[in-house]
Amino acid sequence: MKQVANHAPEHEDGPTLMNVLIVDADERFRESLARQLVRRGMTVQATGDPAEARLMACRERTGAVLVGLSSPRQTLLAFLRSIRQDCPGSEVILINHSGNVPLSIEAMKHGALDEVAAPVDLDELLQKLDAVSARRAKDIGGGV
């Protein structure tokens, strides 16, 4: 089974909006979400392996890491800590498949920026990604 997938925008009519990494155990879900984000101009990588995802996030200068909350608690929290430490430019947005509010709150305390519920409302997710992009632009531009 293919674990890592790379997706690039299918059109050349404008700049890529952001590099996004989807980390979710459900291959069909992550591939479907990846296709939707690519259609909106984002470069997307997708994997079900948190260890591989950490390496990918740092190597690809990922702007946003979308993480499914289906990972075991300790694995998820260790992943969040490593992203915050090793890839400080990457923001984590949780995808809450199960409505696990206590784990979501704990993940936010460990560095996740925001959360969306599954099934994902694409407009809501795009707003959150726009906010990440604006925040990164402000940080890069020195707060101008």
Side-chain angles (χ1 to χ4, degrees):
M1 180 182 298
K2 189 174 180 182
Q3 190 71 324
V4 177
N6 296 305
H7 305 272
E10 297 169 358
H11 59 285
E12 297 295 330
D13 58 354
T16 297
L17 298 174
M18 184 187 306
N19 290 329
V20 177
L21 173 60
I22 302 169
V23 187
D24 198 286
D26 184 337
E27 184 177 13
R28 288 178 59 192
F29 171 81
R30 68 178 184 260
E31 291 298 319
S32 174
L33 183 56
R35 283 190 300 274
Q36 292 176 57
L37 294 176
V38 166
R39 281 194 288 266
R40 282 148 183 93
M42 297 179 195
T43 298
V44 180
Q45 292 186 301
T47 183
D49 180 358
E52 178 68 20
R54 187 187 62 75
L55 297 173
M56 293 165 67
C58 296
R59 182 178 59 231
E60 302 299 326
R61 296 189 199 163
T62 301
V65 182
L66 309 178
V67 180
L69 284 183
S70 57
S71 297
R73 179 184 168 280
Q74 291 300 336
T75 302
L76 174 66
L77 298 179
F79 176 75
L80 289 171
R81 281 191 297 275
S82 69
I83 289 291
R84 301 304 313 150
Q85 179 181 353
D86 300 338
C87 315
S90 297
E91 298 289 355
V92 175
I93 298 174
L94 305 170
I95 302 171
N96 197 337
H97 291 275
S98 63
N100 187 337
V101 175
L103 182 56
S104 179
I105 290 169
E106 191 168 3
M108 298 277 209
K109 290 178 181 177
H110 282 85
L113 177 68
D114 211 333
E115 164 186 78
V116 294
V120 172
D121 177 326
L122 193 57
D123 290 332
E124 177 188 5
L125 177 58
L126 291 172
Q127 288 176 352
K128 292 174 189 293
L129 291 172
D130 284 345
V132 168
S133 183
R135 181 175 167 167
R136 288 172 52 91
K138 182 179 177 185
D139 289 345
I140 291 169
V144 177

